[in-house]
Amino acid sequence: MLNKSIVIGLTGPTGAGKSSVAKEMATLGCVIVDCDQIARQITTSCEPCLQSLAGEFGEDILENGVLNRRLLAERAFSSPEKTQRLNELTHPWIIKETEAQVQAAFNVGASFVVIDAPLLFEAGADRLCDQILAVTVPYEKRLRRIMNRDGIGEALARARMDAQHPESWYEQKADRVISGSLDDDTLHKELMRYLDEIQEETL
């Protein structure tokens, strides 16, 4: 028996395949704290956050109190400075809910808690983690994935990608790196081995 939950920060650039890795980790018994989902909740129901975003990026991003996510994305990812401002306004709310969900997992005795966060370091969520696992794939493969996934053109996809760090940045900051191009069977085996190893390291 573990004395406490092991918290793993799962991160990587957009389009790398984090969602597939998180899904597989869930099948292996990990509790997943999805920061993208938390961000969506915050920007749906957190009135103070929505008002601060409207004040920064234009009142027209709210339509009858509902966020126009595409319009916000176009403006927020138009420059590194604007992307940073978006993060400054949303991250405190996201971290607060992330901490609450991690604590809830602790309370039910979860062995592994995975914080799935593309902006793990920028948001400061890495301080909650015992281990950092990065998912990476080459730039061009990510580009095609993002265009297909989000139904956007190449220019907007590149803008989103260029607003983030390159693959090498994540690889340097992580304790472990896994490819987002693995087939399902190989991914399953790699993750089982990884969880076994970090569990042994904490005993």
Side-chain angles (χ1 to χ4, degrees), residues 3 22 27 29 33-35 38-39 57 69 86 95 97-99 117 134 140 145 155 161 168 181 198:
N3 293 325
T27 69
V33 176
D34 186 339
C35 288
I38 290 172
F57 295 103
R69 297 179 186 278
L86 171 69
I95 280 290
E97 178 59 24
T98 298
E99 289 178 326
E140 290 300 322
R145 281 183 177 177
M161 293 172 70
S168 58
S181 299
I198 61 174

Side-chain angles (χ1 to χ4, degrees), residues 100-116:
Q101 291 192 20
V102 169
Q103 186 59 54
F106 285 176
N107 292 344
V108 297
S111 295
F112 298 99
V113 184
V114 176
I115 300 178
D116 178 0

Side-chain angles (χ1 to χ4, degrees), residues 51-133:
Q51 290 304 319
S52 65
L53 289 172
E56 181 71 28
F57 295 103
E59 297 294 333
D60 58 334
I61 66 169
L62 295 180
E63 300 170 357
N64 298 318
V66 178
L67 180 64
N68 182 327
R69 297 179 186 278
R70 186 176 289 262
L71 185 58
L72 173 63
E74 288 175 2
R75 294 176 182 175
F77 296 118
S78 64
S79 74
E81 293 77 20
K82 290 183 178 180
T83 301
Q84 182 178 349
R85 188 65 184 135
L86 171 69
N87 295 339
E88 289 170 353
L89 294 173
T90 56
H91 284 171
W93 300 101
I94 294 169
I95 280 290
K96 183 177 180 181
E97 178 59 24
T98 298
E99 289 178 326
Q101 291 192 20
V102 169
Q103 186 59 54
F106 285 176
N107 292 344
V108 297
S111 295
F112 298 99
V113 184
V114 176
I115 300 178
D116 178 0
L119 300 178
L120 185 81
F121 298 103
E122 295 89 336
D126 59 307
R127 65 182 171 80
L128 304 175
C129 303
D130 301 304
Q131 274 269 325
I132 307 295
L133 177 64

Side-chain angles (χ1 to χ4, degrees), residues 2-4 6 112 130 197-203:
L2 291 170
N3 293 325
K4 73 176 194 70
I6 298 173
F112 298 99
D130 301 304
E197 287 175 359
I198 61 174
Q199 193 167 31
E200 287 177 6
E201 290 170 5
T202 61
L203 293 177

